[in-house]
């Protein structure tokens, strides 16, 4: 696990589930430019993500959960672990918004993700400037406009 | 008994009715010969007529006086006489002759007749002449011929045709049955049909005979039977009741066709088809996965290059240009992968037959581009009869949208251009043409434009009408056994013609969920 913001776990953070270090770097860069005061925690596999979240639930103060999850669709262990389904089945986790970040924009993939409870499906653009714009929009909506269950 | 020749002179002279007993006898004889619908004659050994009856006169259109005394050849004609001569020789040798034949009579035409010749022999053995009776069978000839032909058809049929009684005892066994079951007619007739049944199928024959007893026909029943050599054969049977003149069922006729070869072929086809479907699915999955997995690093590299450019403002011009070229290459790679994904997606599309009104359907696809048309000041004109057709509508819509998109990109070089979408409904195919006002396609590239990923054809410096669009269109159309081609006779712009088979089969068996019927919309 890597703490992207390089500090102690802050009060509000987003969990990024992404195996590709380069993508993590790009997303972190775009994210931190657009969203202030919210850090990014990163895990590299589905199993790590599930373990991280269950561990965060057990935090007695109840404030260890991420405000939101960015989930890559194709993880090294995505055949064995279905992160989205595990989150939606878990009573303590199911309210967390999950945003799918994927290089695929296949209609089938999109439909399947929403059917299984994704809150949004975002296609990772090839153009970095556009990625930055996307994260600005995401930040504006999810972190400023919308009321979130975890504060 | 009065001898025929005794009355010859009186008969010929047709005397008035007399009251004597002798005259009575003559009158009765005359009546008999004249009332029977047969030809009766007496011919001397010199082959000249001595007597003919009324029917004879009618046949040849001459009265007795004209015929009697004349030679057979004169009255019958040479053709008929020559044909009859061998029989006449036999009767003049004392033999009684009966035969049936087609005889070309002069004056009476060709008749199918049954002939009896009886010799008039003296005690000394000398032949004085002969009596001839001729029956006209021409009216029965049609049905007789038909019977003979039917018998020949049954005998020589490649299918087995078998007659059996209600206990299954074989009464008839044609050559087809000999070939299919391996038993000769001699071996089979008299034995029971159960000899052809595999031991576990005895019950089946009992059920068949039960149905026959109730007067029911069994059509196209697929069964397993045993050849004389022991091997099992697949047969298609039709068993019908045989009835007597009172309508009672007295037996059954079985027509059996050997379908072993056909079934084997069907099984082979099914296996090959399953394997092909399997391979196609694997191929699609493979395409989809590599497209996705390869995109990941491209997006990464492209993003990092952007960061490099953003972060370092001290690059010299050459380095900056090189990095920008890398970015462009990433974009190209990304778009190629998009196309690959698109092709894989098309291959996975379900084929579903839908009933659509062709004109409205075409207009609907044109309407997808409404905003773009306004912006480009271009028009789409749909020309089509208002007909209802069954086509794989979703697939065709996808192909059509691709073509119109192409036409807008490459075929509308100035404001005010019109794209023509023409629909035409043929007997087996629907034809849809999309014509633009662009530069057209050079002859050299006519085939190349339909191939995906052709270097110099697809990509950024592609000529008019190219790109994954056309490869996708062809791929879509071929899935439903149709095609797309570039109209070679168009002098202006490009005109692409889709040939779409009507009433396609939904894809069954290769997708998890499918519909067997056309959706009525």
């Amino acid at each position: 696990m890597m703490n992207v913001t390089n500090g102690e776990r802050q009060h509000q953070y987003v969990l990024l589930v992404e195996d590709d270090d380069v993508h993590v770097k790009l997303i972190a860069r775009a994210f931190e430019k657009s969203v202030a005061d919210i850090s990014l925690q990163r895990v590299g596999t589905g199993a790590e993500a599930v373990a991280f979240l269950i561990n965060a639930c057990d935090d007695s103060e109840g404030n260890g959960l991420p405000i939101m999850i960015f989930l890559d669709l194709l993880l090294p262990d995505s055949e064995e672990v279905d992160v989205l389904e595990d989150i939606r089945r878990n009573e303590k986790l199911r309210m967390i918004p999950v945003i799918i970040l994927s290089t695929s924009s296949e209609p089938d993939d999109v439909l399947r993700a929403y059917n299984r409870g994704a809150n949004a499906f975002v296609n990772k653009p090839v153009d970095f400037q556009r990625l930055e714009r996307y994260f600005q929009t995401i930040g504006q909506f999810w972190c400023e406009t919308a009321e979130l269950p975890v504060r | 008994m009065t001898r025929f020749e005794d009355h010859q002179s009186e008969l010929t002279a047709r005397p008035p009715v007399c009251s004597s007993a002798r005259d009575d006898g003559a009158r009765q004889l005359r009546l008999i010969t004249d009332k029977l619908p047969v030809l009766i004659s007496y011919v001397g050994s010199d082959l000249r007529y001595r007597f003919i009856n009324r029917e004879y006169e009618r046949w040849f259109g001459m009265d007795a006086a004209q015929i009697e005394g004349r030679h057979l050849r004169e009255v019958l004609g040479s053709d008929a006489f020559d044909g009859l001569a061998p029989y006449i020789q036999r009767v003049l040798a004392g033999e009684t002759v009966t035969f049936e034949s087609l005889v070309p009579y002069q004056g009476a035409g060709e008749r199918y007749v049954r002939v009896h010749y009886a010799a008039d022999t003296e005690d000394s053995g000398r032949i004085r002449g002969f009596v001839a009776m001729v029956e006209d069978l021409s009216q029965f000839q049609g049905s007789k011929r038909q019977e003979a032909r039917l018998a020949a058809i049954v005998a020589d049929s490649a299918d087995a045709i078998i007659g059996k009684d209600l206990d299954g005892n074989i009464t008839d066994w044609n050559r087809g049955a000999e070939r299919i079951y391996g038993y000769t007619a001699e071996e089979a007739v008299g034995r029971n049909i159960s000899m052809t049944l595999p031991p576990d199928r005895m019950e089946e024959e009992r059920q068949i005979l039960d149905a026959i007893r109730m007067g029911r026909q069994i059509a196209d029943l697929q069964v397993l039977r045993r050849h004389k050599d022991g091997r099992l054969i697949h047969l298609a049977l039709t068993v019908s009741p045989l009835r007597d003149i009172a309508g009672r069922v007295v037996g059954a006729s079985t027509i059996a066709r050997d379908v072993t070869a056909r079934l084997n072929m069907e099984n082979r086809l099914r296996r090959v088809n399953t394997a092909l479907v399997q391979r196609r699915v694997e191929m699609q999955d493979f395409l989809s996965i590599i497209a996705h997995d390869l995109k990941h690093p491209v997006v990464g590299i492209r993003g990092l290059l952007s960061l490099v450019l953003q972060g370092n403002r001290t690059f010299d011009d050459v380095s900056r240009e090189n990095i920008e070229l890398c970015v462009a290459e990433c974009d190209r790679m990304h778009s190629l992968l998009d196309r690959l994904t698109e092709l894989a997606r098309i291959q996975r599309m379900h084929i579903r037959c839908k009933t659509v009104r062709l004109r409205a359907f075409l207009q609907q696809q044109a309407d997808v581009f409404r905003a773009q048309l306004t912006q480009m000041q271009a028009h789409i004109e749909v020309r089509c009869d208002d007909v209802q057709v069954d086509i794989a509508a979703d697939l065709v819509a996808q192909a059509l949208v691709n073509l119109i998109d192409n036409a807008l990109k490459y075929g509308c070089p100035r404001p005010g251009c019109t794209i023509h979408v023409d629909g035409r409904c043929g007997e087996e195919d629907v034809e849809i043409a999309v014509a633009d006002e662009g530069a057209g396609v050079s002859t050299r590239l006519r085939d190349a434009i339909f191939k995906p990923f052709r270097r110099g054809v697809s990509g950024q410096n592609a000529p008019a009408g190219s790109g994954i669009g056309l490869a996708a269109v062809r791929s879509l159309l071929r899935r439903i056994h149709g095609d797309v081609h570039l109209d070679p006779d168009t002098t202006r712009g490009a005109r692409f013609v889709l040939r779409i088979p009507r009433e396609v089969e939904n894809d069954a068996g290769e997708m998890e969920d499918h519909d067997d019927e056309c959706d009525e919309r």
Side-chain angles (χ1 to χ4, degrees), chain B residues 138-337:
Chain B
S138 299
Q139 53 179 323
F140 306 116
Q141 187 205 345
S143 62
K144 269 185 106 50
R145 265 194 192 166
Q146 227 170 352
E147 263 176 44
R149 205 164 44 221
L150 212 54
I153 290 170
V154 170
D156 293 336
S157 167
D159 291 344
I161 300 179
I162 300 165
K164 58 194 176 192
D165 66 19
L166 289 175
D167 297 320
N169 297 314
I170 298 165
T171 53
D172 307 271
W173 190 263
N174 76 340
R175 278 195 275 281
E178 291 184 338
R179 192 179 56 81
I180 289 174
Y181 291 95
Y183 297 93
T184 64
E186 222 166 46
E187 292 169 315
V189 172
R191 288 182 66 184
N192 198 282
I193 195 72
S194 57
M195 73 177 180
T196 64
L197 294 167
D200 56 334
R201 304 256 170 167
M202 293 294 175
E203 180 64 8
E204 197 175 85
E205 182 64 20
R206 202 187 55 73
Q207 287 170 353
I208 291 174
L209 286 171
D210 282 351
I212 291 296
R213 266 191 208 95
M214 288 187 279
R216 286 213 302 266
Q217 188 192 55
I218 294 152
D220 214 21
L221 182 70
Q222 299 260 344
V223 296
L224 208 57
R225 291 290 179 264
R226 207 174 45 190
H227 189 271
K228 188 185 175 187
D229 66 15
R231 91 192 125 89
L232 292 173
I233 42 181
H234 291 275
L235 301 179
L237 296 187
T238 297
V239 191
S240 314
L242 272 178
R243 295 169 195 274
D244 65 8
I245 198 163
R248 286 177 305 222
V249 177
V250 291
S253 72
T254 300
I255 300 177
R257 169 166 297 178
D258 191 345
V259 293
T260 312
R262 197 185 73 195
L263 282 181
N264 285 342
M265 186 57 78
E266 276 176 12
N267 284 337
R268 257 186 71 191
L269 270 178
R270 205 170 292 127
R271 276 199 303 274
V272 170
N273 188 53
T274 309
L276 277 176
V277 167
Q278 178 69 24
R279 284 189 62 178
R280 214 183 85 191
V281 169
E282 282 169 7
M283 187 70 179
Q284 289 158 2
D285 288 351
F286 174 71
L287 274 182
S288 176
I289 287 167
I290 62 162
H292 192 265
D293 283 358
L294 290 178
K295 253 188 197 181
H296 230 253
V298 173
V299 169
I301 294 167
R302 170 70 161 79
L304 289 176
L305 289 170
S306 298
L307 289 185
V308 169
L309 280 176
Q310 275 182 1
N312 191 334
R313 303 191 191 285
T314 61
F315 280 130
D316 59 273
D317 286 350
V318 174
S319 302
R320 178 164 291 274
E321 195 191 327
N322 284 343
I323 292 176
E324 278 165 356
L325 281 174
C326 288
V327 169
E329 284 298 291
C330 285
D331 287 346
R332 203 163 78 87
M333 180 75 153
H334 193 263
S335 96
L336 284 171
L337 290 170

Side-chain angles (χ1 to χ4, degrees), chain B residues 16-25 27:
Chain B
V17 178
C18 299
S19 56
S20 72
R22 188 185 155 88
D23 286 347
D24 256 7
R27 194 186 61 80

Side-chain angles (χ1 to χ4, degrees), chain A residues 27-36 128 132 136, chain B residues 307 310:
Chain A
I27 290 166
R29 188 69 175 267
F31 182 79
E32 71 193 12
K33 265 182 99 172
S34 342
V35 185
F128 182 71
E132 286 181 328
Q136 259 168 17
Chain B
L307 289 185
Q310 275 182 1

